[in-house]
Amino acid sequence: MSNNNLRVEKIGGTSMSRFEEVLNNVILKDKTDLFNRIYVVSAYSGITNELLEHKKTGMPGIYQTFIHNESYEPAMLNLQKKLCSINKGFADIGLNTRKADDFICERIAFSVNILRSMDTVLGSGYVMRRELLLAARELLASIGELHSAFNSTNILQNMGYNATFVDLSGWRDRKERTIDERIEHTFKNIDPSKTICVATGYTKGIEGIMREFDRGYSEVTFSKIAVILGAAEAVIHKEYHLCSGDPMIIGENKVHPICNTNFDVADQLADVGMEAIHPKASKPLETAGISIRIKNAFDPSHSGTLITKDYICPKLKTEVVTGSDSVTCIEIHDTRMVGEVGFDMKIMIVLEKHGVSYINKATNANTIDIIIAQKDLSEVLLTDLRAEFESVTVKEMAIVCAIGSNIAKPGILAKATKALAEANINILTVSQTSRQTNMQFTVERDHFVLAQRALHHALCEE
C-alpha cells in the first residue's frame, strides 16, 4: 500500500513544549495542506526523563523508584501535578484544561493501580522479574505521549479543525497484537485525507517496543506508520537544522544547514550520538524507499535536509564535522595476539555478553583499542576482559569525525591531520574505511572542542 500524498511527521519533545509555534510553523502553516499528514508526537520536554530516567545523565525517574521498591506513588502524583500545570499553559491556545486534566488524571490513576498490582506480584516471587519490569517501563513510557497527543488533538478540535486522536498505547485493550498489527488495526477506519491525525509516539505490542528500541521508541512508531501506510515522505521536525557542525561549538555564523545527504551519512552521525534519526527507525524507511526530511520547526521557510538512498554530493566535500566527548578507549595489549587468527573475536564475545557495541576499533600486532560509549563501561565488563587478556587499560577520550557522502578526495585526510597538528592536537587513533564516508580521530578529551573547530575550518569553510 502506498499513498503518494501522505506524509508521516515526527515532532520531538522540545518542539512539542512550544506547541503554539508548532501550530503556526508546521501544522497550520498552509491551510490548503492540512490533510494527508500524520503527526507522531513525543512527550513534552523532560517528561519521559521523569517517567524513566534522564536520557543523558541517567538521573533516576519514576521507573527507577519502582524497581528499587521506593515511593513511586508520591512521584506519580507529583508528575500528575506537573502535567496538569503544562495543561494550564496551553489554555490560551484553545486547550480545554478540564477535559485534559480529567484525561491525564484517569490515565495516571489507572497506571498507579497497575503498578501496585505488579508490585504485589513481584513480591510473591512467582514471576520473572525482568519481564514484569519491562512491562512497567512500557506502561510508564506511554503516559507522556498519551498526554501530548490528546492535548494536541483537543487544541486543534477546539480551533475548529477536524482532528483525530490516534491512540496506539493499547489503553485497556486486552487483545494481543504485534506493533505492526496495532498500527494497522488503529488506522483501519481512519482516512488521513479527511482529518488531521495526531498519533502517540508510543505503540503497545506483544514484542515490547522498548525491549529492542528503548528510548528510540517514538521514532520507531513514526517509521513503522510510514512504512505500513506507504507514505511518500517521512518528516522529522526538530528545534534545529542538521548543520555542518554544532553551532554551539563552531559558531552560528560559521555552520550551514545540509540540504541533501544519504542514509549512510545518517548512520555515521547516529554512531557517534548525533542522531538525525534512530538507525533502527531509518533502516525500514531506507528499505521501503521512503525519503526522510529533517526540518527545523522554528524556521518554516527552510526546506530542511532531505535524506535519500542514492544521493551522492556532486562536489567532493565534507558535509558534517561532529563527534562525542563521552567515549572511552579500552586498550587491550596481549603478546599472544600477533599472528593468531580470530584473536579479536574473543573480545567481541565479551562485548556481546555485556550488550556493548563499539564505535571504533584500531589494531596493531599486539594491541587492540576499542572505543565505546562511556555509559557502556562497567567494572564487570573490565573484569571479564582482564580475565582473558594480559593487559587491559582504560582512558577517557573524545572522538571527532569528518563525514560526507563524497569525501573520497586525494589529500583530504592529509588536510584534516594537518589542521589538527596546527592546532597542536595529538591524534591518538585514526580510522577510515575504503568506503570513505567517515574519517574518525580520537583525541584527548580536553581537545574535543578545539578539534572540531579546526576540522570544520579546514574542511567545511572553504
Side-chain angles (χ1 to χ4, degrees), residues 122-182:
L122 281 170
S124 73
Y126 285 109
V127 297
M128 290 183 65
R129 179 177 173 83
R130 181 176 179 274
E131 292 301 312
L132 205 58
L133 290 180
L134 277 171
R137 189 168 178 82
E138 298 257 345
L139 171 71
L140 289 168
S142 69
I143 294 171
E145 277 78 21
L146 276 166
H147 180 226
S148 60
F150 177 87
N151 284 5
S152 304
T153 308
N154 183 263
I155 290 168
L156 284 164
Q157 289 171 344
N158 293 336
M159 293 176 72
Y161 294 99
N162 183 3
T164 300
F165 171 44
V166 184
D167 182 1
L168 297 169
S169 73
W171 171 253
R172 287 181 171 165
D173 180 0
R174 293 190 176 189
K175 186 171 178 59
E176 292 187 345
R177 306 181 197 275
T178 66
I179 295 167
D180 287 7
E181 286 170 349
R182 187 167 303 281

Side-chain angles (χ1 to χ4, degrees), residues 9 11 69 89 125 143 168 176 182 184 212 274 306 426 430 436 440:
E9 311 193 31
I11 305 176
N69 200 26
I143 294 171
L168 297 169
E176 292 187 345
R182 187 167 303 281
E184 290 170 354
E212 184 175 357
M274 185 182 173
L306 185 65
N426 182 38
V430 60
Q436 297 189 64
Q440 297 187 343

Side-chain angles (χ1 to χ4, degrees), residues 23-62:
L23 279 174
N24 295 329
N25 294 341
V26 178
I27 301 174
L28 305 178
K29 177 175 178 278
D30 182 353
K31 299 296 196 303
T32 66
D33 187 26
L34 295 177
F35 303 125
N36 274 315
R37 303 174 75 176
I38 297 171
Y39 298 99
V40 180
V41 299
S42 293
Y44 297 116
S45 181
I47 296 303
T48 307
N49 288 341
E50 292 198 27
L51 285 161
L52 304 178
E53 67 282 316
H54 196 285
K55 190 174 184 179
K56 293 183 178 178
T57 67
M59 183 180 293
I62 294 171

Side-chain angles (χ1 to χ4, degrees), residues 19 23 44 83-105 146-160:
F19 191 68
L23 279 174
Y44 297 116
L83 298 182
C84 289
S85 177
I86 290 173
N87 292 348
K88 186 177 179 181
F90 290 123
D92 288 346
I93 60 170
L95 180 66
N96 184 324
T97 55
R98 182 183 58 78
K99 283 187 177 180
D101 289 353
D102 287 347
F103 174 85
I104 199 58
C105 289
L146 276 166
H147 180 226
S148 60
F150 177 87
N151 284 5
S152 304
T153 308
N154 183 263
I155 290 168
L156 284 164
Q157 289 171 344
N158 293 336
M159 293 176 72

Side-chain angles (χ1 to χ4, degrees), residues 313-327:
C313 183
K315 180 182 177 183
L316 291 158
K317 71 171 186 177
T318 299
E319 292 169 33
V320 189
V321 168
T322 186
S324 172
D325 61 350
S326 300
V327 299

Side-chain angles (χ1 to χ4, degrees), residues 64-114:
Q64 300 297 326
T65 65
F66 177 73
I67 66 175
H68 293 114
N69 200 26
E70 296 172 356
S71 303
Y72 60 87
E73 290 192 44
M76 288 287 278
L77 291 175
N78 286 334
L79 176 71
Q80 178 176 294
K81 291 177 183 176
K82 182 166 186 175
L83 298 182
C84 289
S85 177
I86 290 173
N87 292 348
K88 186 177 179 181
F90 290 123
D92 288 346
I93 60 170
L95 180 66
N96 184 324
T97 55
R98 182 183 58 78
K99 283 187 177 180
D101 289 353
D102 287 347
F103 174 85
I104 199 58
C105 289
E106 182 186 4
R107 299 314 191 264
I108 293 281
F110 178 76
S111 300
V112 168
N113 284 335
I114 293 179

